[in-house]
Each structure stands twice: as structure tokens, then as C-alpha cells.
Amino acid sequence: MKVQIQVLDVDYDMLNNRPIVRIFGKDRNGKTYCVCATDLLPYFYIKTTNPKRIEEELRSRFGGEIEKTEIVERYLPIGYSDKIELLKVTTRTPSKVPEIRDYIKDKVDDIYEADILFKYRYMVDRSITGMGWIEVEGNPLRTDTIRCATIEARSITPIENDENVPLRILALDIEVKTPQERIPSADKDPIIMIALAYSEPFRGRENDVLVAKSVPGDVISCTSEEEMLEKLKDIIESYDPDIITGYNINNFDMPYIIQRMQHLNLKRDLGRVVDKTVFCQTFGPQTKTNITGRVIVDSYRIVKKEYSFKNYTLNTVAKDLLGEEKEDVSYKEINGLWEDRNEIHRLISYARKDSILALKLITEKKPLDKYIALCRVSGVLLQDVLDGGESIRIENLLLSEFNKKGFVLPLKPGREEIIKRSKEREKEGIKGGLVLEPNPGLYADGCVMVMDFKSLYPSIIRTFNICPTTLLTRDLDVEYNESPAGARFVKSSVREGIIPRILSGLIDGRSTVKKRMYQEKDPEKRRLLDAKQYAFKIMANAFYGYCGYMKARTYNIHVANAITSYGRHLIQKTADKIRNEYGLEIIYGDTDSVMVKYPSKNLDEVYEVGTRIAKEITDSLPGVLELEFEKIFRSFLILAKKRYAGWAFEKHNGEWSDKIEMKGIETVRRDWCDLVTNTMNAVIDMIIKEGDVNRAISFVQEKIEQIRKREVPLKELSVTKSITKSLESYDGVLPHIEAAKKMRMRDPSNPPTRGDRISFVIVEGNQMLSKRAETIEYVKEKNLKTDTDYYINNQLLPPIERIFAVLGVSRDELLGKGRQTSLSDIMGNRRPERNHDLSIEMSPREVVVKNPTGFICSECNRDFRRVTLTGRCECGGEIYASGQGFIGKYVEI
DNA sequence: GCTACTCGGGG
DNA sequence: GTGTACGAGTAGC
């Protein structure tokens, strides 16, 4: 028979003392297969001057475990040199390789590739990638261990196919008997409910709730926890999901379920095989669960990686991303609801909703596209792309490419090696990119052109052929490039480096995909292409970091330093050239970008000049190095190195689009109240977009006044922090803990506990700050006075002051003490000497309002500070710009 | 500016 | 499982 499947998971098992690789995948119709292959044995390489003796030692020590040994010719991975003879040792049991490796380690010069997981050894040798497609020919195989159609492979061929098979997803959420004042623990507290949500209807249902007692209604009643867990296993087996998801499933639900199963002596076979039981690995607070043939996706972890929020409770995240909230149940109520026949349904629908939300985060936001694309580019399995970091992806590509070109890959460094590396690093140092010293201030006259090197580090690596395999470690009569830091690399005409070669493939791959993406009309396919080009980019950019990563297989400080030294050299030369040959001022630059002042406000003109300069400079650069005209800052506020904000204009297919861009200026921080965040955003907006520093000053003054008069809603002043341990175990004095202790004192029957989030405000008094923290409710109830001084001087002013300082506005002035604050200032009238002309000129269009100071609805005359996103008022009227005594049509460009 | 330590999410 | 492992943010030097 012959099938084409997309690879979901790979593992191996032992059969008759030989490994049998099992590839799990799905065909286009969604049918699951397991492909078994026995055509590879584990192997690794040894560098030694006495292979005969080593061979004898291995055979006498490990006997039949050594399948064969042979002398092969390979290139060594570090340093340019010819092929040398290595001893290739082939064994039988993958899990015994570490023992062999450690036994022989001190008797030989070096060992290579003796720490490659066997599934990846197989995949790399057969060019199989995670989530890639293969065509399999072979015979059906009957087994009593594998739970899907099994094929004994005769041949496995990787095939090109961009499709992704629809994945069947199961989301689960457990509820646990929750004692007061203690976190549930799996050895004592049973699971009472398991909610399941299905991405494809299962037996006609979208979701189910298993309940460990008999209850009427739309639930699956069980007589015990044990029966409920058995039912869970049945459902997983029949529904047969590819993906199991849940919110924080990695650190709570999965380990808990597994520990309960262990506790109750149930067999933990949740995967697509019966012989391998699920196990959890715990390292510190992190746990990782592996289920053969399926993939565990933690939607919490994904959301945390992909989105930036102040906190990541399921409720907050779902509200923002899905527009839905959790059912309103506090964990403290769980026991009560569970015991109460009339209330248990609240708990049931709460659990049901949680599982639905966890599922929707995956099915609606489709975050897996990117991860699947990363699998296909790197070759790594989906589970490992989700759990692992950058290094596993890089290493998989390296192994594949090294082997193809006849190189062996080094082992991961051991403890001693890492110590050696860090000592060398201390001595030699590792330098990063060049950051040009900025002159802080607001640049609003004319424009700021931003030019940057397109993928600077990958381009440097390709252009100068930088790679451990091209590094010259001794004098040889070959052509080479010498980096500004002194390291030498043979030219690509002598030998193309492996990393430069991989990078060329990634970068060419990306531009091909991007071209296809621009032509693609179908939004679904477009999204997949976008994920793919993104994966190429991520991978390309990760190589530089890997070269300087101390735990890298191919770590070499000279390689890492060569890359950045070229970067510093290039950015400096470029800045000099723009200054000297074009007579333009360089305002700032960081690693791969320069910001150039240009005396015009005409976007199209600036675009044209900038593009020309970038092209001329590119023409003078060697290799694939390319300076790109990136965007225009219509106004640009720089506070210091790496801290700036700008009103950026970018041209896409001839159309300008604009946005505020901020780097290093934080407006959102956990320990700032909303008042600070909102004021910061408004102030930056006024300065950057409206160019109106005076208005921003007045705005801050107004806010200060509002704080003084206690007109600011308490909610805007509150900061929320969590209790992370028992209240007694805090050494220091923290405001939210003090507030929590007071809550406990006032209502001992319902004390706040670990995990609770406390929102507090600071009230007046002469105790230390933390002691003056109170909850909003209490402040309202007792009509306490907030500490206005604290909110002005400790919350609002510090970040605001940093911005105004570079504009020459002092703290006193913001407080209304310095310059006289006239009525007209407060009314928002402009002070001419500090106002910047931000009127916009556009070549093709002409509707312009000079200095719009505000916006107004043409229908109901409602005032707006900014033009609304839709360009319309709530009443439906069009938004016009107002300023300098007239009202005109505003054109968003 | 750097490194060491903390803590998240779940019930 | 040919394992040894998160990451952002803050405190403290």
C-alpha cells in the first residue's frame, strides 16, 4: 500500500534488540497512520589516533551492543581543514549510547554526534521534518500496541506539499476538590470534574463535562473519580485527538491527572500506543508531558508568548482576545458548589466554559500556524517546537546540513567546557552592535529618514562567509576575509561555509514565499504563507545568537565577535558616508539602522530621496549587504539610547500608513496604575502626533489637579498584585500584602489567600508607604482620602518627567510652579515658541488642516482629542479637524 | 549596567 | 529518553 501523510510525532521502541522508529501522521482525509521503520541503527563518530585499539576496547566492553565499526572520512566542524579519518561506531540500542560515550570519552581525542535523539537521527538521515509530508510504501501491519492503522515501511520519501491537514483538538479543564488555605495537592485532593471541548463534534457534541458523582442534567455522571478517569481515557481513545490543549495544562491539569491516575493505580495510556504510558517530567516549577502520537499545546503558554498583557488569567485573556468571559466562580466557592445539589450546575457550566475558552484560543486565533511553519523550516517536531527554545531548531538544521556536506557536528558542551568558555569570554569579551550617541530632544522640523540593513547579521555571515567551518586557525595559502576584530575566514570560492549556505536558503526561501503571499488573494492561504515567511525570518535571525550561545555545539567566540565587528564597522561607515557625501545629519543609529534628519515635510519627496541614498549606498556595499529605506518619522522624540518614540509613516503598495512607534519608553508596567499608563500615552500622542508640547503640559497639569481634587476614579489609581505565598512568609513589607493582612484582620472568616489578586490604593497618613495600602472597597466604605502627594510625585511624575526633561520642561513647570500657568495654558492655548508646525503636505492629495489642535464631529459637535479609528463619531457624523479658528475636513494618510 | 532571584497560570 | 530544560521583570550590587 501507499499513503501520503503529514508527520505529527515520531518516537521509537525496541523490538528484538533493535530500534523500530514509529512515525505518526495523518493523510489528507484525516486518517491517522503509524509508519514503522527498522532501517537505521544508532551511530556516532570518534576521533582517535588509534582506532584499532578503541574498536577492540568497545567490543570487549560492550560486546554485541556494537553492531559495527568503520573508518570514514569527514570534515571536522571547527576550523578550515581537510577531511580526516574518523571511527564511525554503529550500535543497537539508542539508550545505551550515553554509557558507551561516557566510557570511551577519556580514551579518545573527540566524539561527535553521540547525543542526538534517535528520532531526530532518523528524521535527519531520511530528510523527514516535523509537520512535513512523506510518501510511504509498505505493508499493513497488525500490532496489539498501536492504536491506529500501521504500516511496515518499505520506503519513505519526503514530498513537497504546502497543505496542513486539519488537526483534531481536545481542550480539557479539570476541577479539583479545593481545600481552603492550601493549594490542592494530587496525593490528597481528588479531581471532581473534567470538562472537555471538541474542535470537531464528537458523537454529535461540542463539549462534555464528566462529573465524579451522580447529577441530573447535561453531564456524564460517574460514580467515582476512578470511573471518571476511565471515561476520560475512553473518550480520548475514541475521539482520538491530535492535539490536547488547556489553559495552563502543562503546569496543572496534565500533571494532576497523571498523578491521580498513578495514585489510583490506573494505566496511564492516553497516547496512540498502549505500551508507552504518559509521563511527566518536572524541572523546577516547569513540567512537560509527552503523549506518544499526540501533541500537548498549552494555550496559556502560547498566549503569553504571542501577546502582551498585564496579567494572563484566562478571564483577562479571553475577554481581550475572544470577547468572552469566564463564568463568575471563585475557586473558594468550588467546595461549596460541589456539595450543594442546587448549586452544582454553576460549577459545571463554569468548567465547561473554561474548556471552551481554552479551545477557542487555539481555533479562533490560530496561533499554531506559526509553530507549524517553524517545524517545517527547522525540521523539528511540533511538540518540541512548542516546548523547546531556539537551539533545538538551529541544531536540527545544522545537523542536517553538516551531514549533507560531509561534516560531523560537535557534542553539546559539558560542564567543564562551559566553564572554559565563560572564562575565555571574560577575558576576550563579547561585543554587540554599535549604538550612536543621540542628542536627546524632539525632532519635528522636517523629517527623520530611517534606513536599515536588511537582515544585517545574516547578510554579514553570507557576504564574508563566516562559519566555524571556514575559520582559519593557522596560516594557509588560501584567499580569506579578515574581520575588523581580526578573525579570518576563507572565501566562499575556497569553501562555502555551512551556516552561510543555510542562511542563503532561508533568505531566498523567505523572499519566494513573500512574493507568493503578495499575489495570494485567499486570506486563509495568505495567512499560511505569512506564517511561513515569518518562520524563515525567525530562523535566519537566530543563527547569530546561536554562534555566541555558550551551550551551542558550534560556539566560537571569534565567530560571534567577527559578526558584530563587521556590523559596527558597516554602520559607522554608512553614517560617515551619509554625513560627508550627502551633508545630512545623523540623529541616531542602533546596530543595523541609521536615522537621518532631512529638511522637508513632503513624505513623497523624502521617500524618493531616502530610497535613492539607500540604493547608492547599497551599490557600494560588498556581497548581499543591502541598506533599505525603511520609513519616515514625521516627528521623533528621543530620550536616550534605545529610548524613543516617533510618528512613523510607511509606504505599502504606494499607500502611506502611519503609527506611533515606541522603543524603550514603557507605558505599561505592572506596578503603574492605569492613570499613569493613560496619561503617558496621551502625552506621547500630543507631543508626537500633534506636536503640541504646551497642550501636553496643560494636560499633565490638569491630571495633577484632578488627583489633588480626588476626581480620579479609584480604579485608575489602583495597582493589582498577587499573593504568591502565605501572608506570614513575606519578609519584606509589600503594599499588597499589608492590604491583604488588613483584610484578614477585618474579616477573619474570609481571608485572602495565596493566588488572590489584591487591588490597592495608597491613602493618606504618616506611616510607611506599604502600610498605607488599602483596597478600593475599604476606601469607599470608610471614605478614606487617597494620598494625592504619592500619586503625583511617586506614580505620575517620574515617568512623565523623563519625557519632558528632554524638551526642557522642568518638574516645577509641570506642577505649575515654574513658568506662570495662565488660564490660557490650562485652556490648551498654544505657546508659539514651543509649537512645532506639524501640518502635513502630501503630493497627490491636498486637503490639509494646519496644526489641528482637536477634532470635532460635523453632526453633533462633540469634541475629540484625536480622530476616531473609524473616522466617525458615535452618532455617525464625520470627524472634522479643528485648529486655528477653522474647521476642515481631516484626511488620514 | 550587570547578574541573581522571583514568580507566573492553574484550583 | 543518544534527556539536565522557561522568560520577563525586579531587586540588589
Side-chain angles (χ1 to χ4, degrees):
Chain A
M1 66 187 292
K2 192 157 144 185
V3 292
Q4 294 191 344
I5 57 167
Q6 189 173 18
V7 178
L8 284 175
D9 192 24
V10 177
D11 83 335
Y12 82 92
D13 197 12
M14 293 304 287
L15 187 71
N16 305 327
N17 287 326
R18 286 176 177 261
I20 168 165
V21 174
R22 303 186 290 196
I23 304 168
F24 296 87
K26 277 179 111 174
D27 73 3
R28 281 182 192 73
N29 307 318
K31 185 170 179 191
T32 311
Y33 289 91
C34 173
V35 176
C36 295
T38 49
D39 57 331
L40 190 76
L41 289 173
Y43 63 86
F44 60 92
Y45 301 93
I46 291 173
K47 179 176 176 240
T48 172
T49 45
N50 200 342
K52 271 267 160 294
R53 237 200 50 216
I54 294 301
E55 188 189 332
E56 276 162 27
E57 271 216 44
L58 285 174
R59 285 197 187 280
S60 69
R61 176 77 172 72
F62 297 100
E65 184 54 34
I66 307 298
E67 173 80 6
K68 74 173 171 185
T69 56
E70 59 202 303
I71 301 290
V72 294
E73 289 203 330
R74 294 287 189 275
Y75 292 112
L76 294 187
I78 316 276
Y80 173 74
S81 63
D82 287 328
K83 276 189 174 171
I84 66 160
E85 288 190 342
L86 296 177
L87 182 68
K88 180 179 175 181
V89 182
T90 303
T91 67
R92 297 217 175 132
T93 319
S95 63
K96 286 191 181 150
V97 172
E99 195 192 332
I100 304 173
R101 180 225 301 149
D102 293 341
Y103 170 78
I104 208 76
K105 188 171 58 189
D106 301 325
K107 303 175 167 63
V108 300
D109 296 335
D110 222 338
I111 306 177
Y112 304 92
E113 299 181 21
D115 56 355
I116 310 291
L117 295 185
F118 190 61
K119 60 184 180 187
Y120 282 114
R121 168 49 71 199
Y122 189 85
M123 289 168 73
V124 165
D125 282 19
R126 301 285 179 267
S127 304
I128 298 167
T129 60
M131 296 312 279
W133 287 80
I134 51 173
E135 183 172 274
V136 181
E137 278 186 68
N139 300 319
L141 193 67
R142 286 183 59 91
T143 72
D144 42 17
T145 52
I146 297 168
R147 286 178 167 145
C148 51
T150 305
I151 301 172
E152 186 179 20
R154 205 165 35 244
S155 79
I156 300 176
T157 327
I159 49 174
E160 276 292 319
N161 184 353
D162 264 344
E163 290 171 84
N164 282 329
V165 122
L167 297 173
R168 193 181 302 139
I169 308 172
L170 172 72
L172 62 82
D173 176 54
I174 63 170
E175 304 303 325
V176 170
K177 188 123 189 184
T178 303
Q180 300 291 329
E181 207 37 78
R182 177 164 68 79
I183 301 155
S185 111
D187 49 334
K188 299 191 192 88
D189 309 308
I191 302 173
I192 52 181
M193 267 180 213
I194 303 175
L196 305 167
Y198 314 112
S199 70
E200 296 170 13
F202 173 55
R203 294 172 181 158
R205 298 188 56 85
E206 302 279 328
N207 54 68
D208 277 309
V209 182
L210 307 178
V211 183
K213 67 156 79 159
S214 174
V215 249
D218 184 18
V219 295
I220 301 177
S221 290
C222 307
T223 53
S224 64
E225 184 193 15
E226 198 171 333
E227 193 192 312
M228 181 172 70
L229 288 168
E230 288 290 359
K231 281 237 168 77
L232 172 70
K233 274 166 53 174
D234 290 346
I235 291 176
I236 291 177
E237 196 181 332
S238 331
Y239 179 59
D240 193 28
D242 304 306
I243 287 181
I244 297 179
T245 188
Y247 203 73
N248 204 23
I249 190 174
N250 268 342
N251 280 304
F252 185 73
D253 303 64
M254 266 306 158
Y256 209 100
I257 289 172
I258 287 159
Q259 282 177 61
R260 288 307 291 173
M261 284 181 163
Q262 252 165 328
H263 186 86
L264 298 166
N265 283 320
L266 303 177
K267 203 170 167 231
R268 308 185 305 282
D269 52 337
L270 303 176
R272 283 177 161 146
V273 295
V274 294
D275 56 338
K276 259 195 198 172
T277 55
V278 174
F279 62 103
C280 268
Q281 300 161 87
T282 328
F283 25 91
Q286 289 295 108
T287 30
K288 189 183 142 179
T289 312
N290 262 309
I291 297 186
T292 308
R294 311 190 203 280
V295 181
I296 305 233
V297 177
D298 191 333
S299 38
Y300 160 64
R301 220 142 97 183
I302 300 224
V303 169
K304 212 172 166 190
K305 257 193 197 158
E306 305 288 319
Y307 303 92
S308 169
F309 292 117
K310 252 189 187 169
N311 74 72
Y312 289 88
T313 59
L314 179 55
N315 196 46
T316 331
V317 164
K319 199 171 10 174
D320 195 286
L321 298 177
L322 306 171
E324 280 182 67
E325 292 190 52
K326 274 170 74 117
E327 302 280 320
D328 191 20
V329 172
S330 155
Y331 68 87
K332 280 177 194 155
E333 300 177 72
I334 288 176
N335 275 1
L337 297 178
W338 173 246
E339 302 298 345
D340 187 339
R341 289 220 142 262
N342 301 315
E343 290 275 35
I344 194 165
H345 285 280
R346 267 185 67 209
L347 186 59
I348 292 165
S349 59
Y350 166 81
R352 196 188 306 269
K353 183 77 185 211
D354 275 12
S355 68
I356 293 170
L357 292 176
L359 178 67
K360 280 191 176 176
L361 286 172
I362 305 299
T363 53
E364 288 191 9
K365 305 311 277 185
K366 301 193 187 300
L368 288 183
D369 291 345
K370 279 187 191 173
Y371 294 89
I372 292 172
L374 277 167
C375 292
R376 293 180 146 222
V377 173
S378 66
V380 169
L381 294 167
L382 182 56
Q383 187 73 76
D384 297 329
V385 162
L386 288 163
D387 292 338
E390 240 157 33
S391 48
I392 187 173
R393 301 173 203 164
I394 299 288
E395 286 176 6
N396 202 54
L397 269 187
L398 282 178
L399 180 65
S400 160
E401 211 61 32
F402 266 60
N403 286 179
K404 263 184 217 157
K405 295 288 163 190
F407 287 83
V408 290
L409 193 67
L411 301 177
K412 283 187 191 154
R415 236 190 128 59
E416 342 66 66
E417 178 61 23
I418 291 173
I419 291 166
K420 198 175 124 197
R421 288 177 184 184
S422 60
K423 279 191 179 141
E424 179 194 39
R425 188 138 157 177
E426 253 168 55
K427 207 176 73 198
E428 306 228 4
I430 194 140
K431 279 175 114 183
L434 178 67
V435 188
L436 303 174
E437 194 62 59
N439 197 354
L442 177 64
Y443 295 82
D445 308 320
C447 276
V448 176
M449 307 190 283
V450 183
M451 301 186 204
D452 52 21
F453 281 95
K454 199 171 160 181
S455 345
L456 177 68
Y457 288 161
S459 303
I460 287 173
I461 294 171
R462 291 169 72 199
T463 297
F464 303 107
N465 202 34
I466 299 171
C467 188
T469 63
T470 57
L471 180 69
L472 266 175
T473 49
R474 59 209 157 98
D475 285 327
L476 285 176
D477 185 24
V478 286
E479 286 205 296
Y480 60 83
N481 298 307
E482 184 165 342
S483 82
R488 297 176 299 170
F489 301 89
V490 302
K491 291 201 169 177
S492 54
S493 52
V494 180
R495 171 201 284 173
E496 186 185 19
I498 304 294
I499 293 177
R501 191 189 154 77
I502 296 173
L503 286 174
S504 299
L506 293 173
I507 285 164
D508 293 347
R510 179 171 186 228
S511 53
T512 311
V513 172
K514 272 183 107 170
K515 272 181 208 135
R516 273 172 58 203
M517 183 175 87
Y518 292 136
Q519 288 161 6
E520 184 59 63
K521 292 278 181 289
D522 180 1
E524 183 70 9
K525 285 183 183 159
R526 219 183 139 98
R527 222 195 46 243
L528 289 179
L529 289 170
D530 193 34
K532 198 167 176 180
Q533 69 83 17
Y534 164 86
F536 276 123
K537 177 181 150 182
I538 294 292
M539 289 301 294
N541 288 335
F543 273 87
Y544 155 68
Y546 186 81
C547 291
Y549 171 54
M550 295 228 279
K551 293 179 185 170
R553 292 172 189 270
T554 54
Y555 173 89
N556 185 289
I557 197 168
H558 306 295
V559 172
N561 275 330
I563 298 167
T564 53
S565 74
Y566 271 118
R568 292 190 296 274
H569 180 80
L570 280 164
I571 207 76
Q572 188 66 63
K573 284 276 174 246
T574 303
D576 292 347
K577 191 163 180 159
I578 292 172
R579 227 182 335 247
N580 300 333
E581 293 181 21
Y582 295 90
L584 296 172
E585 187 191 341
I586 306 289
I587 289 176
Y588 181 59
D590 184 351
T591 311
D592 62 352
S593 64
V594 283
M595 306 204 179
V596 187
K597 200 173 158 180
Y598 191 76
S600 166
K601 299 175 177 97
N602 185 310
L603 293 179
D604 291 301
E605 180 196 332
V606 179
Y607 178 83
E608 210 236 80
V609 174
T611 315
R612 204 191 73 228
I613 296 175
K615 183 171 185 312
E616 284 169 11
I617 290 177
T618 298
D619 289 343
S620 73
L621 293 168
V624 295
L625 289 162
E626 198 181 328
L627 188 69
E628 260 189 331
F629 179 81
E630 166 86 8
K631 64 192 159 206
I632 298 169
F633 280 127
R634 189 54 200 78
S635 60
F636 183 63
L637 174 73
I638 182 153
L639 309 185
K641 280 180 176 181
K642 299 196 186 279
R643 299 175 126 252
Y644 59 83
W647 190 10
F649 285 77
E650 253 177 294
K651 204 173 188 173
H652 293 295
N653 325 318
E655 292 283 314
W656 287 100
S657 63
D658 74 304
K659 65 168 183 233
I660 296 273
E661 248 184 52
M662 281 195 265
K663 287 272 157 70
I665 303 180
E666 299 278 354
T667 60
V668 193
R669 274 175 59 165
R670 263 188 153 96
D671 52 354
W672 285 354
C673 61
D674 284 355
L675 172 82
V676 175
T677 301
N678 296 340
T679 312
M680 284 277 282
N681 279 325
V683 161
I684 288 171
D685 225 76
M686 284 178 210
I687 296 171
I688 298 292
K689 267 199 170 167
E690 298 166 25
D692 201 337
V693 176
N694 293 314
R695 202 174 133 83
I697 297 171
S698 312
F699 184 79
V700 173
Q701 288 170 342
E702 268 170 55
K703 281 285 165 201
I704 291 173
E705 208 41 43
Q706 284 173 17
I707 298 174
R708 284 210 178 106
K709 291 186 183 155
R710 301 208 168 79
E711 288 170 358
V712 181
L714 288 177
K715 209 162 177 267
E716 273 191 65
L717 297 179
S718 69
V719 170
T720 304
K721 292 206 168 190
S722 315
I723 303 174
T724 56
K725 43 188 181 180
S726 79
L727 294 181
E728 280 67 37
S729 46
Y730 280 90
D731 295 329
V733 196
L734 297 165
H736 66 296
I737 300 305
E738 292 305 310
K741 284 180 180 166
K742 282 185 238 176
M743 285 166 75
R744 184 175 59 178
M745 206 176 66
R746 288 165 195 152
D747 182 8
S749 63
N750 185 26
T753 51
R754 177 176 173 161
D756 281 0
R757 271 168 262 275
I758 308 287
S759 293
F760 65 89
V761 293
I762 303 294
V763 297
E764 274 185 343
N766 39 23
Q767 286 172 293
M768 67 187 285
L769 186 87
S770 298
K771 300 269 183 196
R772 288 187 276 121
E774 290 291 355
T775 60
I776 296 180
E777 294 74 29
Y778 191 72
V779 171
K780 278 188 183 155
E781 193 188 314
K782 298 284 165 185
N783 206 12
L784 298 177
K785 296 218 174 320
T786 49
D787 186 346
T788 56
D789 230 44
Y790 166 78
Y791 283 102
I792 294 167
N793 294 316
N794 297 72
Q795 278 275 335
L796 187 63
L797 280 183
I800 295 282
E801 211 185 336
R802 282 195 284 273
I803 293 173
F804 279 104
V806 305
L807 301 169
V809 180
S810 69
R811 184 191 190 96
D812 281 351
E813 210 169 329
L814 291 170
L815 286 164
K817 288 184 200 157
R819 274 165 175 274
Q820 231 185 351
T821 312
S822 65
L823 186 62
S824 68
D825 285 336
I826 291 170
M827 297 306 286
N829 286 353
R830 301 174 298 111
R831 258 184 300 222
E833 72 276 15
R834 271 206 203 127
N835 219 35
H836 299 270
D837 184 12
L838 274 196
S839 61
I840 295 151
E841 289 177 30
M842 293 167 289
S843 302
R845 302 199 205 157
E846 67 305 317
V847 192
V848 167
V849 172
K850 286 257 174 191
N851 296 321
T853 49
F855 297 91
I856 188 164
C857 171
S858 57
E859 299 291 324
C860 68
N861 287 336
R862 184 176 155 190
D863 286 319
F864 294 88
R865 218 164 29 72
R866 273 173 291 170
V867 72
T868 56
L869 280 175
T870 53
R872 293 195 171 269
C873 173
E874 280 170 7
C875 77
E878 207 170 335
I879 303 288
Y880 284 8
S882 59
Q884 295 196 332
F886 68 88
I887 292 174
K889 195 163 168 148
Y890 177 75
V891 178
E892 183 91 31
I893 47 169

